[in-house]
Amino acid sequence: GHLRALAIRVPHLATILALNYVALQAFDVRVPPLQALYCLPAVLLVACLPISIQGLGPTQGAMIFFFARYAEGDAATQAASVFAASLGTHAICLCAQLAIGLIGARSQLVRTLGKAPVG
């Protein structure tokens, strides 16, 4: 069952990696694709650790640590670009998860109400 569970997660993780890469590119952080492929899994691991609130804080720090050097400008501008890309990605992911959750909750509620006894 572990390999099946891993296979099911691969498209989800690939989507998250691609979204982060595109967000970095959108904020003019020109990370080489292989560098992103090596470092983004470490960033995602940091995001899952129970040391942050909703994945905020250490995740942005890891993103700045790995990717700030690929942005243009001085150190503060580089960090701000990576920080903005990371927060933008985080907001998009939260909205997508909210939409999926609402759809799932609605369909579960409809199934539960359909089985409720009338009385």
PDB file of all heavy atoms in Angstrom, residues 9-26:
ATOM      1  N   ARG A   9       0.457  10.514  -4.454  1.00  0.00           N
ATOM      2  CA  ARG A   9       0.968  11.821  -4.012  1.00  0.00           C
ATOM      3  C   ARG A   9       1.852  12.512  -5.042  1.00  0.00           C
ATOM      4  O   ARG A   9       2.026  13.728  -4.998  1.00  0.00           O
ATOM      5  CB  ARG A   9       1.782  11.661  -2.723  1.00  0.00           C
ATOM      6  CG  ARG A   9       1.008  11.400  -1.482  1.00  0.00           C
ATOM      7  CD  ARG A   9       0.317  12.600  -0.972  1.00  0.00           C
ATOM      8  NE  ARG A   9       1.245  13.546  -0.370  1.00  0.00           N
ATOM      9  CZ  ARG A   9       0.899  14.753   0.010  1.00  0.00           C
ATOM     10  NH1 ARG A   9      -0.320  15.160  -0.146  1.00  0.00           N
ATOM     11  NH2 ARG A   9       1.769  15.565   0.536  1.00  0.00           N
ATOM     12  N   VAL A  10       2.443  11.759  -5.954  1.00  0.00           N
ATOM     13  CA  VAL A  10       3.400  12.329  -6.906  1.00  0.00           C
ATOM     14  C   VAL A  10       2.792  13.471  -7.725  1.00  0.00           C
ATOM     15  O   VAL A  10       3.416  14.527  -7.837  1.00  0.00           O
ATOM     16  CB  VAL A  10       4.018  11.231  -7.799  1.00  0.00           C
ATOM     17  CG1 VAL A  10       4.760  11.818  -8.988  1.00  0.00           C
ATOM     18  CG2 VAL A  10       4.950  10.360  -6.967  1.00  0.00           C
ATOM     19  N   PRO A  11       1.599  13.343  -8.313  1.00  0.00           N
ATOM     20  CA  PRO A  11       1.057  14.482  -9.063  1.00  0.00           C
ATOM     21  C   PRO A  11       0.830  15.721  -8.191  1.00  0.00           C
ATOM     22  O   PRO A  11       1.066  16.848  -8.640  1.00  0.00           O
ATOM     23  CB  PRO A  11      -0.279  13.962  -9.616  1.00  0.00           C
ATOM     24  CG  PRO A  11      -0.158  12.492  -9.586  1.00  0.00           C
ATOM     25  CD  PRO A  11       0.752  12.164  -8.447  1.00  0.00           C
ATOM     26  N   HIS A  12       0.402  15.516  -6.960  1.00  0.00           N
ATOM     27  CA  HIS A  12       0.193  16.638  -6.038  1.00  0.00           C
ATOM     28  C   HIS A  12       1.510  17.358  -5.759  1.00  0.00           C
ATOM     29  O   HIS A  12       1.600  18.582  -5.833  1.00  0.00           O
ATOM     30  CB  HIS A  12      -0.444  16.116  -4.745  1.00  0.00           C
ATOM     31  CG  HIS A  12      -0.633  17.162  -3.708  1.00  0.00           C
ATOM     32  ND1 HIS A  12       0.011  17.110  -2.502  1.00  0.00           N
ATOM     33  CD2 HIS A  12      -1.389  18.286  -3.679  1.00  0.00           C
ATOM     34  CE1 HIS A  12      -0.332  18.171  -1.782  1.00  0.00           C
ATOM     35  NE2 HIS A  12      -1.173  18.891  -2.478  1.00  0.00           N
ATOM     36  N   LEU A  13       2.539  16.596  -5.440  1.00  0.00           N
ATOM     37  CA  LEU A  13       3.841  17.199  -5.156  1.00  0.00           C
ATOM     38  C   LEU A  13       4.440  17.853  -6.398  1.00  0.00           C
ATOM     39  O   LEU A  13       5.044  18.931  -6.308  1.00  0.00           O
ATOM     40  CB  LEU A  13       4.793  16.146  -4.594  1.00  0.00           C
ATOM     41  CG  LEU A  13       4.429  15.623  -3.206  1.00  0.00           C
ATOM     42  CD1 LEU A  13       5.331  14.477  -2.801  1.00  0.00           C
ATOM     43  CD2 LEU A  13       4.499  16.744  -2.189  1.00  0.00           C
ATOM     44  N   ALA A  14       4.253  17.236  -7.558  1.00  0.00           N
ATOM     45  CA  ALA A  14       4.762  17.832  -8.795  1.00  0.00           C
ATOM     46  C   ALA A  14       4.063  19.164  -9.071  1.00  0.00           C
ATOM     47  O   ALA A  14       4.705  20.127  -9.522  1.00  0.00           O
ATOM     48  CB  ALA A  14       4.562  16.865  -9.958  1.00  0.00           C
ATOM     49  N   THR A  15       2.779  19.231  -8.784  1.00  0.00           N
ATOM     50  CA  THR A  15       2.047  20.482  -8.971  1.00  0.00           C
ATOM     51  C   THR A  15       2.562  21.570  -8.040  1.00  0.00           C
ATOM     52  O   THR A  15       2.749  22.720  -8.449  1.00  0.00           O
ATOM     53  CB  THR A  15       0.542  20.247  -8.736  1.00  0.00           C
ATOM     54  OG1 THR A  15       0.092  19.243  -9.637  1.00  0.00           O
ATOM     55  CG2 THR A  15      -0.260  21.515  -8.942  1.00  0.00           C
ATOM     56  N   ILE A  16       2.816  21.213  -6.795  1.00  0.00           N
ATOM     57  CA  ILE A  16       3.332  22.188  -5.827  1.00  0.00           C
ATOM     58  C   ILE A  16       4.730  22.664  -6.234  1.00  0.00           C
ATOM     59  O   ILE A  16       5.030  23.863  -6.165  1.00  0.00           O
ATOM     60  CB  ILE A  16       3.326  21.603  -4.404  1.00  0.00           C
ATOM     61  CG1 ILE A  16       1.889  21.410  -3.937  1.00  0.00           C
ATOM     62  CG2 ILE A  16       4.081  22.505  -3.439  1.00  0.00           C
ATOM     63  CD1 ILE A  16       1.764  20.682  -2.625  1.00  0.00           C
ATOM     64  N   LEU A  17       5.567  21.737  -6.679  1.00  0.00           N
ATOM     65  CA  LEU A  17       6.907  22.123  -7.139  1.00  0.00           C
ATOM     66  C   LEU A  17       6.812  23.067  -8.335  1.00  0.00           C
ATOM     67  O   LEU A  17       7.505  24.095  -8.383  1.00  0.00           O
ATOM     68  CB  LEU A  17       7.714  20.882  -7.513  1.00  0.00           C
ATOM     69  CG  LEU A  17       8.170  19.994  -6.369  1.00  0.00           C
ATOM     70  CD1 LEU A  17       8.802  18.709  -6.910  1.00  0.00           C
ATOM     71  CD2 LEU A  17       9.137  20.712  -5.463  1.00  0.00           C
ATOM     72  N   ALA A  18       5.961  22.726  -9.295  1.00  0.00           N
ATOM     73  CA  ALA A  18       5.804  23.568 -10.482  1.00  0.00           C
ATOM     74  C   ALA A  18       5.255  24.940 -10.115  1.00  0.00           C
ATOM     75  O   ALA A  18       5.724  25.967 -10.635  1.00  0.00           O
ATOM     76  CB  ALA A  18       4.894  22.879 -11.492  1.00  0.00           C
ATOM     77  N   LEU A  19       4.278  24.995  -9.219  1.00  0.00           N
ATOM     78  CA  LEU A  19       3.709  26.271  -8.804  1.00  0.00           C
ATOM     79  C   LEU A  19       4.762  27.152  -8.140  1.00  0.00           C
ATOM     80  O   LEU A  19       4.855  28.351  -8.429  1.00  0.00           O
ATOM     81  CB  LEU A  19       2.534  26.045  -7.851  1.00  0.00           C
ATOM     82  CG  LEU A  19       1.872  27.295  -7.287  1.00  0.00           C
ATOM     83  CD1 LEU A  19       1.257  28.130  -8.406  1.00  0.00           C
ATOM     84  CD2 LEU A  19       0.819  26.929  -6.264  1.00  0.00           C
ATOM     85  N   ASN A  20       5.571  26.585  -7.269  1.00  0.00           N
ATOM     86  CA  ASN A  20       6.633  27.360  -6.622  1.00  0.00           C
ATOM     87  C   ASN A  20       7.651  27.857  -7.641  1.00  0.00           C
ATOM     88  O   ASN A  20       8.096  29.005  -7.573  1.00  0.00           O
ATOM     89  CB  ASN A  20       7.331  26.522  -5.547  1.00  0.00           C
ATOM     90  CG  ASN A  20       6.613  26.551  -4.237  1.00  0.00           C
ATOM     91  OD1 ASN A  20       6.645  27.549  -3.545  1.00  0.00           O
ATOM     92  ND2 ASN A  20       5.934  25.464  -3.909  1.00  0.00           N
ATOM     93  N   TYR A  21       8.006  27.015  -8.586  1.00  0.00           N
ATOM     94  CA  TYR A  21       8.972  27.415  -9.607  1.00  0.00           C
ATOM     95  C   TYR A  21       8.422  28.551 -10.458  1.00  0.00           C
ATOM     96  O   TYR A  21       9.108  29.545 -10.724  1.00  0.00           O
ATOM     97  CB  TYR A  21       9.359  26.212 -10.473  1.00  0.00           C
ATOM     98  CG  TYR A  21      10.384  26.546 -11.512  1.00  0.00           C
ATOM     99  CD1 TYR A  21      11.715  26.733 -11.154  1.00  0.00           C
ATOM    100  CD2 TYR A  21      10.039  26.697 -12.847  1.00  0.00           C
ATOM    101  CE1 TYR A  21      12.678  27.059 -12.099  1.00  0.00           C
ATOM    102  CE2 TYR A  21      10.981  27.022 -13.799  1.00  0.00           C
ATOM    103  CZ  TYR A  21      12.303  27.197 -13.415  1.00  0.00           C
ATOM    104  OH  TYR A  21      13.243  27.531 -14.354  1.00  0.00           O
ATOM    105  N   VAL A  22       7.175  28.433 -10.886  1.00  0.00           N
ATOM    106  CA  VAL A  22       6.542  29.475 -11.699  1.00  0.00           C
ATOM    107  C   VAL A  22       6.431  30.779 -10.904  1.00  0.00           C
ATOM    108  O   VAL A  22       6.659  31.869 -11.446  1.00  0.00           O
ATOM    109  CB  VAL A  22       5.174  28.999 -12.222  1.00  0.00           C
ATOM    110  CG1 VAL A  22       4.366  30.133 -12.820  1.00  0.00           C
ATOM    111  CG2 VAL A  22       5.361  27.883 -13.240  1.00  0.00           C
ATOM    112  N   ALA A  23       6.089  30.677  -9.620  1.00  0.00           N
ATOM    113  CA  ALA A  23       5.986  31.884  -8.790  1.00  0.00           C
ATOM    114  C   ALA A  23       7.341  32.580  -8.673  1.00  0.00           C
ATOM    115  O   ALA A  23       7.423  33.810  -8.746  1.00  0.00           O
ATOM    116  CB  ALA A  23       5.450  31.528  -7.410  1.00  0.00           C
ATOM    117  N   LEU A  24       8.397  31.812  -8.491  1.00  0.00           N
ATOM    118  CA  LEU A  24       9.730  32.415  -8.426  1.00  0.00           C
ATOM    119  C   LEU A  24      10.061  33.121  -9.744  1.00  0.00           C
ATOM    120  O   LEU A  24      10.574  34.242  -9.744  1.00  0.00           O
ATOM    121  CB  LEU A  24      10.783  31.353  -8.112  1.00  0.00           C
ATOM    122  CG  LEU A  24      10.784  30.843  -6.672  1.00  0.00           C
ATOM    123  CD1 LEU A  24      11.644  29.587  -6.544  1.00  0.00           C
ATOM    124  CD2 LEU A  24      11.263  31.921  -5.715  1.00  0.00           C
ATOM    125  N   GLN A  25       9.744  32.491 -10.845  1.00  0.00           N
ATOM    126  CA  GLN A  25      10.002  33.103 -12.150  1.00  0.00           C
ATOM    127  C   GLN A  25       9.170  34.375 -12.325  1.00  0.00           C
ATOM    128  O   GLN A  25       9.644  35.364 -12.883  1.00  0.00           O
ATOM    129  CB  GLN A  25       9.687  32.114 -13.279  1.00  0.00           C
ATOM    130  CG  GLN A  25      10.538  30.863 -13.273  1.00  0.00           C
ATOM    131  CD  GLN A  25      12.005  31.130 -13.449  1.00  0.00           C
ATOM    132  OE1 GLN A  25      12.413  31.893 -14.316  1.00  0.00           O
ATOM    133  NE2 GLN A  25      12.828  30.519 -12.618  1.00  0.00           N
ATOM    134  N   ALA A  26       7.933  34.362 -11.840  1.00  0.00           N
ATOM    135  CA  ALA A  26       7.050  35.524 -11.977  1.00  0.00           C
ATOM    136  C   ALA A  26       7.576  36.733 -11.215  1.00  0.00           C
ATOM    137  O   ALA A  26       7.312  37.874 -11.591  1.00  0.00           O
ATOM    138  CB  ALA A  26       5.651  35.172 -11.495  1.00  0.00           C
TER     139      ALA A  26
END
